Amino acid sequence: MTRSRHPRKPGDGPAPGPRRQPRAERGPAPSPLIYGLHPVQAALANPERRCRRLLVTEAARDALAATLADAAARGLSRPQPTVVERAELDRLLPGAVHQGAALEAAPLPDLDLDDVARAASGRERDVVVLLDQVTDPHNVGAILRSAAAFGASAVVVQERNAPDVTGTLAKSASGALEAVPLVRVVNLARALGELQQAGYWCVGLDESGTRTLAEMGLSGRVALVLGAEGTGLRRLTMERCDDVARLPTRGPIGSLNVSNAAAVALYELARTAAG
């Protein structure tokens, strides 16, 4: 089921279209308190992270000792852990599953779509995930985790109608925030055009698709587009996709949570590439 305005085929080179618009001016980025052992370990190990303060229980300090030692051996500047009572972390992070570790760190450097396309220019295969108004930080974090697990190079969200990078999102990503860039764009339809220019085949995931991803047999560069739970892909977003696929769900439950759908779709793309 093709809904493209661009008569292209998978594997085609760059398609004609408008050039990338200048990046929008942004206000100060949030400085999240990253919590949970896996997110904190990944942030401490990431040379792109500027870490300011590390609060830990005694047990978490021991669990992070090897990570801190490795960071020191690599010449990374990291704060000495400050041991606090668990009650102090409970007060700072009410309701959070912090596992005795919290890290104050500066946001990661911003990347844009040109950075993603440039990094992929030397690879025959690449997968990028685009999220159309997915606002739940737990879902976005889980999608980042699946993207890292199945080799996607970036997750793209809108400036608006997308969650900030908070401790909740980082915890849900379980360290994947340090491995997979979260790229923000002003206009998702325009972003799809930019990816098409860069040689990506843009595939929306929707129940209206007539074929599954397995039946499409996609290869090369693929941009996978998912919509918000409940509303799905918006009409304009779907129209800008080169094709629309569905998952082979059946039975009384015909749809999945967006993060589960992303995991299944990314697995299928990885399986096809390996096959």
Side-chain angles (χ1 to χ4, degrees):
M1 179 175 181
T2 301
R3 304 198 177 195
S4 175
R5 296 176 181 175
H6 312 283
R8 301 167 57 239
K9 297 179 180 179
D12 282 354
R19 299 301 300 168
R20 190 177 71 85
Q21 66 176 7
R23 296 175 67 187
E25 291 296 327
R26 297 173 183 169
S31 179
L33 198 61
I34 299 170
Y35 58 84
L37 285 176
H38 287 306
V40 169
Q41 284 174 326
L44 291 170
N46 184 0
E48 297 295 322
R49 276 286 187 188
R50 291 169 50 206
C51 302
R52 296 167 175 161
R53 184 171 60 137
L54 177 60
L55 304 177
V56 292
T57 61
E58 289 186 2
R61 178 192 59 188
D62 294 342
L64 294 172
T67 301
L68 287 167
D70 181 68
R74 294 162 59 203
L76 301 180
S77 176
R78 293 296 181 253
Q80 288 297 314
T82 299
V83 176
V84 297
E85 295 296 328
R86 180 172 291 273
E88 175 66 11
L89 292 177
D90 291 341
R91 184 185 65 80
L92 287 173
L93 299 162
V97 184
H98 52 69
Q99 298 174 298
L103 175 68
E104 182 182 343
L108 289 168
D110 285 331
L111 293 180
D112 60 22
L113 223 48
D114 278 354
D115 297 318
V116 174
R118 191 179 303 112
S121 61
R123 298 194 295 265
E124 181 178 338
R125 177 186 178 271
D126 191 49
V127 175
V128 172
V129 179
L130 293 92
L131 304 180
D132 188 12
Q133 297 193 334
V134 177
T135 58
D136 187 333
H138 297 91
N139 280 334
V140 175
I143 291 168
L144 280 164
R145 187 174 183 177
S146 295
F150 295 114
S153 65
V155 173
V156 180
V157 298
Q158 294 170 282
E159 288 277 9
R160 298 181 178 180
N161 299 309
D164 288 331
V165 179
T166 62
T168 299
L169 189 152
K171 181 65 166 63
S172 298
S174 194
L177 187 61
E178 312 300 323
V180 178
L182 185 63
V183 179
R184 293 183 183 272
V185 298
V186 175
N187 186 297
L188 202 66
R190 189 176 293 117
L192 286 168
E194 294 172 24
L195 287 170
Q196 287 163 338
Q197 286 181 324
Y200 286 80
W201 188 251
C202 298
V203 179
L205 199 64
D206 189 84
E207 293 176 8
S208 66
T210 58
R211 293 185 295 165
T212 66
L213 287 170
E215 291 168 339
M216 288 182 177
L218 297 168
S219 61
R221 299 179 189 174
V222 178
L224 181 66
V225 194
L226 297 101
E229 190 171 1
T231 57
L233 292 175
R234 291 175 296 163
R235 179 187 58 80
L236 180 58
T237 303
M238 194 179 295
E239 287 177 354
R240 287 307 303 260
C241 291
D242 295 301
D243 214 336
V244 178
R246 61 177 177 81
L247 295 178
T249 54
R250 59 173 64 95
I253 305 298
S255 63
L256 297 175
N257 169 278
V258 63
S259 63
N260 292 331
V264 172
L266 287 167
Y267 164 77
E268 180 56 39
L269 291 175
R271 187 193 65 79
T272 302

PDB file of all heavy atoms in Angstrom, residues 1-3 8-10 201-218 224 242-249 268:
ATOM      1  N   MET A   1       0.855  -1.183   0.000  1.00  0.00           N
ATOM      2  CA  MET A   1       0.000   0.000   0.000  1.00  0.00           C
ATOM      3  C   MET A   1       0.883   1.221   0.000  1.00  0.00           C
ATOM      4  O   MET A   1       1.469   1.614   0.997  1.00  0.00           O
ATOM      5  CB  MET A   1      -0.876   0.012   1.243  1.00  0.00           C
ATOM      6  CG  MET A   1      -1.775   1.228   1.345  1.00  0.00           C
ATOM      7  SD  MET A   1      -2.871   1.050   2.767  1.00  0.00           S
ATOM      8  CE  MET A   1      -3.783   2.566   2.603  1.00  0.00           C
ATOM      9  N   THR A   2       1.074   1.831  -1.160  1.00  0.00           N
ATOM     10  CA  THR A   2       1.978   2.960  -1.290  1.00  0.00           C
ATOM     11  C   THR A   2       1.211   4.258  -1.220  1.00  0.00           C
ATOM     12  O   THR A   2       0.226   4.449  -1.906  1.00  0.00           O
ATOM     13  CB  THR A   2       2.744   2.875  -2.620  1.00  0.00           C
ATOM     14  OG1 THR A   2       3.473   1.652  -2.626  1.00  0.00           O
ATOM     15  CG2 THR A   2       3.689   4.033  -2.784  1.00  0.00           C
ATOM     16  N   ARG A   3       1.706   5.163  -0.377  1.00  0.00           N
ATOM     17  CA  ARG A   3       1.025   6.436  -0.206  1.00  0.00           C
ATOM     18  C   ARG A   3       1.978   7.585  -0.490  1.00  0.00           C
ATOM     19  O   ARG A   3       1.791   8.676  -0.019  1.00  0.00           O
ATOM     20  CB  ARG A   3       0.509   6.547   1.222  1.00  0.00           C
ATOM     21  CG  ARG A   3      -0.401   5.380   1.603  1.00  0.00           C
ATOM     22  CD  ARG A   3      -1.211   5.696   2.792  1.00  0.00           C
ATOM     23  NE  ARG A   3      -2.104   4.597   3.092  1.00  0.00           N
ATOM     24  CZ  ARG A   3      -3.131   4.691   3.899  1.00  0.00           C
ATOM     25  NH1 ARG A   3      -3.422   5.806   4.483  1.00  0.00           N
ATOM     26  NH2 ARG A   3      -3.896   3.643   4.141  1.00  0.00           N
ATOM     27  N   ARG A   8       9.381   6.361  -5.910  1.00  0.00           N
ATOM     28  CA  ARG A   8      10.683   5.787  -5.648  1.00  0.00           C
ATOM     29  C   ARG A   8      10.532   4.323  -5.309  1.00  0.00           C
ATOM     30  O   ARG A   8       9.454   3.846  -5.002  1.00  0.00           O
ATOM     31  CB  ARG A   8      11.383   6.516  -4.491  1.00  0.00           C
ATOM     32  CG  ARG A   8      11.593   7.974  -4.734  1.00  0.00           C
ATOM     33  CD  ARG A   8      11.990   8.705  -3.457  1.00  0.00           C
ATOM     34  NE  ARG A   8      13.195   8.143  -2.854  1.00  0.00           N
ATOM     35  CZ  ARG A   8      13.235   7.654  -1.635  1.00  0.00           C
ATOM     36  NH1 ARG A   8      12.155   7.608  -0.881  1.00  0.00           N
ATOM     37  NH2 ARG A   8      14.361   7.187  -1.145  1.00  0.00           N
ATOM     38  N   LYS A   9      11.662   3.617  -5.331  1.00  0.00           N
ATOM     39  CA  LYS A   9      11.710   2.213  -4.957  1.00  0.00           C
ATOM     40  C   LYS A   9      12.745   2.035  -3.855  1.00  0.00           C
ATOM     41  O   LYS A   9      13.683   2.822  -3.744  1.00  0.00           O
ATOM     42  CB  LYS A   9      12.096   1.352  -6.163  1.00  0.00           C
ATOM     43  CG  LYS A   9      11.086   1.413  -7.314  1.00  0.00           C
ATOM     44  CD  LYS A   9      11.550   0.568  -8.466  1.00  0.00           C
ATOM     45  CE  LYS A   9      10.564   0.617  -9.628  1.00  0.00           C
ATOM     46  NZ  LYS A   9      11.023  -0.186 -10.774  1.00  0.00           N
ATOM     47  N   PRO A  10      12.590   0.992  -3.014  1.00  0.00           N
ATOM     48  CA  PRO A  10      13.606   0.746  -1.993  1.00  0.00           C
ATOM     49  C   PRO A  10      14.988   0.634  -2.617  1.00  0.00           C
ATOM     50  O   PRO A  10      15.180  -0.048  -3.615  1.00  0.00           O
ATOM     51  CB  PRO A  10      13.170  -0.582  -1.355  1.00  0.00           C
ATOM     52  CG  PRO A  10      11.701  -0.657  -1.615  1.00  0.00           C
ATOM     53  CD  PRO A  10      11.503  -0.006  -2.959  1.00  0.00           C
ATOM     54  N   TRP A 201      14.264   4.728   2.695  1.00  0.00           N
ATOM     55  CA  TRP A 201      12.913   4.306   2.325  1.00  0.00           C
ATOM     56  C   TRP A 201      12.057   4.439   3.577  1.00  0.00           C
ATOM     57  O   TRP A 201      12.281   3.764   4.577  1.00  0.00           O
ATOM     58  CB  TRP A 201      12.933   2.867   1.818  1.00  0.00           C
ATOM     59  CG  TRP A 201      11.631   2.390   1.242  1.00  0.00           C
ATOM     60  CD1 TRP A 201      10.782   1.479   1.786  1.00  0.00           C
ATOM     61  CD2 TRP A 201      11.050   2.781  -0.003  1.00  0.00           C
ATOM     62  NE1 TRP A 201       9.703   1.286   0.967  1.00  0.00           N
ATOM     63  CE2 TRP A 201       9.836   2.070  -0.138  1.00  0.00           C
ATOM     64  CE3 TRP A 201      11.422   3.668  -1.010  1.00  0.00           C
ATOM     65  CZ2 TRP A 201       8.998   2.214  -1.240  1.00  0.00           C
ATOM     66  CZ3 TRP A 201      10.604   3.806  -2.116  1.00  0.00           C
ATOM     67  CH2 TRP A 201       9.405   3.092  -2.220  1.00  0.00           C
ATOM     68  N   CYS A 202      11.088   5.345   3.548  1.00  0.00           N
ATOM     69  CA  CYS A 202      10.314   5.699   4.745  1.00  0.00           C
ATOM     70  C   CYS A 202       9.053   4.848   4.825  1.00  0.00           C
ATOM     71  O   CYS A 202       8.199   4.904   3.938  1.00  0.00           O
ATOM     72  CB  CYS A 202       9.958   7.187   4.721  1.00  0.00           C
ATOM     73  SG  CYS A 202      11.418   8.264   4.731  1.00  0.00           S
ATOM     74  N   VAL A 203       8.935   4.079   5.892  1.00  0.00           N
ATOM     75  CA  VAL A 203       7.831   3.122   6.053  1.00  0.00           C
ATOM     76  C   VAL A 203       7.060   3.449   7.325  1.00  0.00           C
ATOM     77  O   VAL A 203       7.615   3.412   8.423  1.00  0.00           O
ATOM     78  CB  VAL A 203       8.347   1.674   6.110  1.00  0.00           C
ATOM     79  CG1 VAL A 203       7.191   0.697   6.298  1.00  0.00           C
ATOM     80  CG2 VAL A 203       9.135   1.335   4.861  1.00  0.00           C
ATOM     81  N   GLY A 204       5.790   3.775   7.185  1.00  0.00           N
ATOM     82  CA  GLY A 204       4.927   3.971   8.333  1.00  0.00           C
ATOM     83  C   GLY A 204       4.396   2.640   8.832  1.00  0.00           C
ATOM     84  O   GLY A 204       4.187   1.711   8.042  1.00  0.00           O
ATOM     85  N   LEU A 205       4.193   2.555  10.137  1.00  0.00           N
ATOM     86  CA  LEU A 205       3.627   1.336  10.725  1.00  0.00           C
ATOM     87  C   LEU A 205       2.200   1.645  11.139  1.00  0.00           C
ATOM     88  O   LEU A 205       1.952   2.504  11.984  1.00  0.00           O
ATOM     89  CB  LEU A 205       4.462   0.894  11.928  1.00  0.00           C
ATOM     90  CG  LEU A 205       4.302  -0.567  12.367  1.00  0.00           C
ATOM     91  CD1 LEU A 205       4.784  -1.512  11.265  1.00  0.00           C
ATOM     92  CD2 LEU A 205       5.079  -0.818  13.648  1.00  0.00           C
ATOM     93  N   ASP A 206       1.243   0.945  10.510  1.00  0.00           N
ATOM     94  CA  ASP A 206      -0.171   1.240  10.753  1.00  0.00           C
ATOM     95  C   ASP A 206      -0.992  -0.001  10.409  1.00  0.00           C
ATOM     96  O   ASP A 206      -0.630  -0.771   9.513  1.00  0.00           O
ATOM     97  CB  ASP A 206      -0.614   2.440   9.900  1.00  0.00           C
ATOM     98  CG  ASP A 206      -1.996   2.940  10.268  1.00  0.00           C
ATOM     99  OD1 ASP A 206      -2.091   3.735  11.226  1.00  0.00           O
ATOM    100  OD2 ASP A 206      -2.975   2.533   9.620  1.00  0.00           O
ATOM    101  N   GLU A 207      -2.120  -0.156  11.101  1.00  0.00           N
ATOM    102  CA  GLU A 207      -2.986  -1.312  10.856  1.00  0.00           C
ATOM    103  C   GLU A 207      -3.563  -1.314   9.447  1.00  0.00           C
ATOM    104  O   GLU A 207      -4.004  -2.353   8.952  1.00  0.00           O
ATOM    105  CB  GLU A 207      -4.128  -1.343  11.876  1.00  0.00           C
ATOM    106  CG  GLU A 207      -3.670  -1.609  13.304  1.00  0.00           C
ATOM    107  CD  GLU A 207      -4.819  -1.541  14.296  1.00  0.00           C
ATOM    108  OE1 GLU A 207      -5.979  -1.442  13.851  1.00  0.00           O
ATOM    109  OE2 GLU A 207      -4.553  -1.589  15.512  1.00  0.00           O
ATOM    110  N   SER A 208      -3.569  -0.166   8.777  1.00  0.00           N
ATOM    111  CA  SER A 208      -4.118  -0.096   7.424  1.00  0.00           C
ATOM    112  C   SER A 208      -3.172  -0.650   6.364  1.00  0.00           C
ATOM    113  O   SER A 208      -3.556  -0.793   5.200  1.00  0.00           O
ATOM    114  CB  SER A 208      -4.462   1.359   7.069  1.00  0.00           C
ATOM    115  OG  SER A 208      -3.278   2.152   6.999  1.00  0.00           O
ATOM    116  N   GLY A 209      -1.934  -0.960   6.728  1.00  0.00           N
ATOM    117  CA  GLY A 209      -0.996  -1.508   5.748  1.00  0.00           C
ATOM    118  C   GLY A 209      -1.480  -2.837   5.200  1.00  0.00           C
ATOM    119  O   GLY A 209      -2.047  -3.664   5.913  1.00  0.00           O
ATOM    120  N   THR A 210      -1.222  -3.064   3.928  1.00  0.00           N
ATOM    121  CA  THR A 210      -1.666  -4.302   3.281  1.00  0.00           C
ATOM    122  C   THR A 210      -0.601  -5.387   3.342  1.00  0.00           C
ATOM    123  O   THR A 210      -0.897  -6.552   3.077  1.00  0.00           O
ATOM    124  CB  THR A 210      -2.047  -4.053   1.815  1.00  0.00           C
ATOM    125  OG1 THR A 210      -0.913  -3.507   1.117  1.00  0.00           O
ATOM    126  CG2 THR A 210      -3.209  -3.072   1.727  1.00  0.00           C
ATOM    127  N   ARG A 211       0.649  -5.018   3.678  1.00  0.00           N
ATOM    128  CA  ARG A 211       1.734  -5.991   3.767  1.00  0.00           C
ATOM    129  C   ARG A 211       2.456  -5.831   5.097  1.00  0.00           C
ATOM    130  O   ARG A 211       2.453  -4.761   5.694  1.00  0.00           O
ATOM    131  CB  ARG A 211       2.735  -5.790   2.622  1.00  0.00           C
ATOM    132  CG  ARG A 211       2.185  -6.104   1.247  1.00  0.00           C
ATOM    133  CD  ARG A 211       3.291  -5.984   0.213  1.00  0.00           C
ATOM    134  NE  ARG A 211       3.786  -4.611   0.091  1.00  0.00           N
ATOM    135  CZ  ARG A 211       4.914  -4.269  -0.516  1.00  0.00           C
ATOM    136  NH1 ARG A 211       5.693  -5.218  -1.040  1.00  0.00           N
ATOM    137  NH2 ARG A 211       5.278  -3.009  -0.606  1.00  0.00           N
ATOM    138  N   THR A 212       3.076  -6.913   5.539  1.00  0.00           N
ATOM    139  CA  THR A 212       3.909  -6.856   6.731  1.00  0.00           C
ATOM    140  C   THR A 212       5.324  -6.442   6.333  1.00  0.00           C
ATOM    141  O   THR A 212       5.699  -6.475   5.145  1.00  0.00           O
ATOM    142  CB  THR A 212       3.965  -8.212   7.439  1.00  0.00           C
ATOM    143  OG1 THR A 212       4.630  -9.153   6.589  1.00  0.00           O
ATOM    144  CG2 THR A 212       2.566  -8.709   7.766  1.00  0.00           C
ATOM    145  N   LEU A 213       6.124  -6.086   7.316  1.00  0.00           N
ATOM    146  CA  LEU A 213       7.524  -5.755   7.038  1.00  0.00           C
ATOM    147  C   LEU A 213       8.247  -6.953   6.430  1.00  0.00           C
ATOM    148  O   LEU A 213       9.083  -6.792   5.531  1.00  0.00           O
ATOM    149  CB  LEU A 213       8.222  -5.313   8.328  1.00  0.00           C
ATOM    150  CG  LEU A 213       7.854  -3.929   8.865  1.00  0.00           C
ATOM    151  CD1 LEU A 213       8.438  -3.733  10.255  1.00  0.00           C
ATOM    152  CD2 LEU A 213       8.353  -2.828   7.932  1.00  0.00           C
ATOM    153  N   ALA A 214       7.928  -8.157   6.911  1.00  0.00           N
ATOM    154  CA  ALA A 214       8.563  -9.353   6.357  1.00  0.00           C
ATOM    155  C   ALA A 214       8.239  -9.510   4.877  1.00  0.00           C
ATOM    156  O   ALA A 214       9.102  -9.890   4.074  1.00  0.00           O
ATOM    157  CB  ALA A 214       8.114 -10.589   7.133  1.00  0.00           C
ATOM    158  N   GLU A 215       7.004  -9.220   4.496  1.00  0.00           N
ATOM    159  CA  GLU A 215       6.603  -9.337   3.095  1.00  0.00           C
ATOM    160  C   GLU A 215       7.258  -8.280   2.229  1.00  0.00           C
ATOM    161  O   GLU A 215       7.452  -8.487   1.025  1.00  0.00           O
ATOM    162  CB  GLU A 215       5.079  -9.256   2.988  1.00  0.00           C
ATOM    163  CG  GLU A 215       4.377 -10.474   3.573  1.00  0.00           C
ATOM    164  CD  GLU A 215       2.878 -10.269   3.733  1.00  0.00           C
ATOM    165  OE1 GLU A 215       2.428  -9.098   3.780  1.00  0.00           O
ATOM    166  OE2 GLU A 215       2.157 -11.286   3.831  1.00  0.00           O
ATOM    167  N   MET A 216       7.621  -7.154   2.812  1.00  0.00           N
ATOM    168  CA  MET A 216       8.275  -6.084   2.043  1.00  0.00           C
ATOM    169  C   MET A 216       9.730  -6.421   1.742  1.00  0.00           C
ATOM    170  O   MET A 216      10.281  -5.974   0.739  1.00  0.00           O
ATOM    171  CB  MET A 216       8.206  -4.761   2.807  1.00  0.00           C
ATOM    172  CG  MET A 216       6.827  -4.147   2.837  1.00  0.00           C
ATOM    173  SD  MET A 216       6.848  -2.560   3.725  1.00  0.00           S
ATOM    174  CE  MET A 216       5.130  -2.052   3.510  1.00  0.00           C
ATOM    175  N   GLY A 217      10.374  -7.180   2.627  1.00  0.00           N
ATOM    176  CA  GLY A 217      11.766  -7.551   2.388  1.00  0.00           C
ATOM    177  C   GLY A 217      12.682  -6.350   2.256  1.00  0.00           C
ATOM    178  O   GLY A 217      13.501  -6.289   1.333  1.00  0.00           O
ATOM    179  N   LEU A 218      12.562  -5.397   3.156  1.00  0.00           N
ATOM    180  CA  LEU A 218      13.304  -4.144   3.046  1.00  0.00           C
ATOM    181  C   LEU A 218      14.801  -4.342   3.265  1.00  0.00           C
ATOM    182  O   LEU A 218      15.228  -5.179   4.047  1.00  0.00           O
ATOM    183  CB  LEU A 218      12.774  -3.134   4.064  1.00  0.00           C
ATOM    184  CG  LEU A 218      11.315  -2.724   3.867  1.00  0.00           C
ATOM    185  CD1 LEU A 218      10.808  -1.954   5.079  1.00  0.00           C
ATOM    186  CD2 LEU A 218      11.156  -1.884   2.608  1.00  0.00           C
ATOM    187  N   LEU A 224      11.734   4.013   9.919  1.00  0.00           N
ATOM    188  CA  LEU A 224      10.515   3.401  10.446  1.00  0.00           C
ATOM    189  C   LEU A 224       9.744   4.463  11.226  1.00  0.00           C
ATOM    190  O   LEU A 224      10.280   5.064  12.161  1.00  0.00           O
ATOM    191  CB  LEU A 224      10.888   2.234  11.351  1.00  0.00           C
ATOM    192  CG  LEU A 224       9.748   1.439  11.983  1.00  0.00           C
ATOM    193  CD1 LEU A 224       8.947   0.696  10.922  1.00  0.00           C
ATOM    194  CD2 LEU A 224      10.292   0.465  13.021  1.00  0.00           C
ATOM    195  N   ASP A 242       6.842   6.443   2.104  1.00  0.00           N
ATOM    196  CA  ASP A 242       6.901   5.745   0.827  1.00  0.00           C
ATOM    197  C   ASP A 242       6.005   4.515   0.809  1.00  0.00           C
ATOM    198  O   ASP A 242       5.547   4.092  -0.249  1.00  0.00           O
ATOM    199  CB  ASP A 242       8.346   5.313   0.541  1.00  0.00           C
ATOM    200  CG  ASP A 242       9.278   6.497   0.353  1.00  0.00           C
ATOM    201  OD1 ASP A 242       9.029   7.307  -0.547  1.00  0.00           O
ATOM    202  OD2 ASP A 242      10.244   6.609   1.130  1.00  0.00           O
ATOM    203  N   ASP A 243       5.772   3.934   1.965  1.00  0.00           N
ATOM    204  CA  ASP A 243       4.941   2.742   2.057  1.00  0.00           C
ATOM    205  C   ASP A 243       4.419   2.631   3.486  1.00  0.00           C
ATOM    206  O   ASP A 243       4.928   3.302   4.392  1.00  0.00           O
ATOM    207  CB  ASP A 243       5.747   1.492   1.695  1.00  0.00           C
ATOM    208  CG  ASP A 243       4.906   0.438   0.976  1.00  0.00           C
ATOM    209  OD1 ASP A 243       3.672   0.455   1.170  1.00  0.00           O
ATOM    210  OD2 ASP A 243       5.477  -0.383   0.239  1.00  0.00           O
ATOM    211  N   VAL A 244       3.391   1.809   3.662  1.00  0.00           N
ATOM    212  CA  VAL A 244       2.803   1.588   4.985  1.00  0.00           C
ATOM    213  C   VAL A 244       2.772   0.091   5.247  1.00  0.00           C
ATOM    214  O   VAL A 244       2.292  -0.683   4.414  1.00  0.00           O
ATOM    215  CB  VAL A 244       1.382   2.184   5.084  1.00  0.00           C
ATOM    216  CG1 VAL A 244       0.774   1.896   6.458  1.00  0.00           C
ATOM    217  CG2 VAL A 244       1.415   3.687   4.829  1.00  0.00           C
ATOM    218  N   ALA A 245       3.299  -0.319   6.395  1.00  0.00           N
ATOM    219  CA  ALA A 245       3.356  -1.734   6.757  1.00  0.00           C
ATOM    220  C   ALA A 245       2.505  -1.977   7.995  1.00  0.00           C
ATOM    221  O   ALA A 245       2.185  -1.054   8.740  1.00  0.00           O
ATOM    222  CB  ALA A 245       4.797  -2.158   7.013  1.00  0.00           C
ATOM    223  N   ARG A 246       2.176  -3.228   8.207  1.00  0.00           N
ATOM    224  CA  ARG A 246       1.449  -3.614   9.418  1.00  0.00           C
ATOM    225  C   ARG A 246       2.195  -4.746  10.098  1.00  0.00           C
ATOM    226  O   ARG A 246       3.037  -5.421   9.486  1.00  0.00           O
ATOM    227  CB  ARG A 246       0.022  -4.066   9.079  1.00  0.00           C
ATOM    228  CG  ARG A 246      -0.036  -5.284   8.163  1.00  0.00           C
ATOM    229  CD  ARG A 246      -1.458  -5.743   7.901  1.00  0.00           C
ATOM    230  NE  ARG A 246      -1.497  -6.852   6.963  1.00  0.00           N
ATOM    231  CZ  ARG A 246      -1.278  -8.116   7.270  1.00  0.00           C
ATOM    232  NH1 ARG A 246      -1.016  -8.450   8.532  1.00  0.00           N
ATOM    233  NH2 ARG A 246      -1.315  -9.061   6.354  1.00  0.00           N
ATOM    234  N   LEU A 247       1.886  -4.952  11.365  1.00  0.00           N
ATOM    235  CA  LEU A 247       2.420  -6.101  12.075  1.00  0.00           C
ATOM    236  C   LEU A 247       1.461  -7.285  11.909  1.00  0.00           C
ATOM    237  O   LEU A 247       0.250  -7.084  11.793  1.00  0.00           O
ATOM    238  CB  LEU A 247       2.589  -5.783  13.560  1.00  0.00           C
ATOM    239  CG  LEU A 247       3.618  -4.710  13.911  1.00  0.00           C
ATOM    240  CD1 LEU A 247       3.643  -4.481  15.414  1.00  0.00           C
ATOM    241  CD2 LEU A 247       5.005  -5.089  13.409  1.00  0.00           C
ATOM    242  N   PRO A 248       1.974  -8.517  11.916  1.00  0.00           N
ATOM    243  CA  PRO A 248       1.103  -9.682  11.704  1.00  0.00           C
ATOM    244  C   PRO A 248       0.367 -10.084  12.982  1.00  0.00           C
ATOM    245  O   PRO A 248       0.405 -11.243  13.401  1.00  0.00           O
ATOM    246  CB  PRO A 248       2.090 -10.762  11.248  1.00  0.00           C
ATOM    247  CG  PRO A 248       3.363 -10.407  11.947  1.00  0.00           C
ATOM    248  CD  PRO A 248       3.397  -8.900  11.975  1.00  0.00           C
ATOM    249  N   THR A 249      -0.314  -9.128  13.609  1.00  0.00           N
ATOM    250  CA  THR A 249      -1.076  -9.438  14.816  1.00  0.00           C
ATOM    251  C   THR A 249      -2.401 -10.091  14.448  1.00  0.00           C
ATOM    252  O   THR A 249      -2.932  -9.880  13.366  1.00  0.00           O
ATOM    253  CB  THR A 249      -1.334  -8.161  15.626  1.00  0.00           C
ATOM    254  OG1 THR A 249      -1.963  -7.192  14.780  1.00  0.00           O
ATOM    255  CG2 THR A 249      -0.042  -7.582  16.166  1.00  0.00           C
ATOM    256  N   GLU A 268      12.222  -7.350  13.284  1.00  0.00           N
ATOM    257  CA  GLU A 268      11.978  -7.858  11.946  1.00  0.00           C
ATOM    258  C   GLU A 268      12.963  -7.273  10.944  1.00  0.00           C
ATOM    259  O   GLU A 268      13.486  -7.974  10.070  1.00  0.00           O
ATOM    260  CB  GLU A 268      10.538  -7.556  11.512  1.00  0.00           C
ATOM    261  CG  GLU A 268      10.182  -8.050  10.120  1.00  0.00           C
ATOM    262  CD  GLU A 268      10.420  -9.535   9.944  1.00  0.00           C
ATOM    263  OE1 GLU A 268      10.148 -10.314  10.871  1.00  0.00           O
ATOM    264  OE2 GLU A 268      10.908  -9.915   8.852  1.00  0.00           O
TER     265      GLU A 268
END
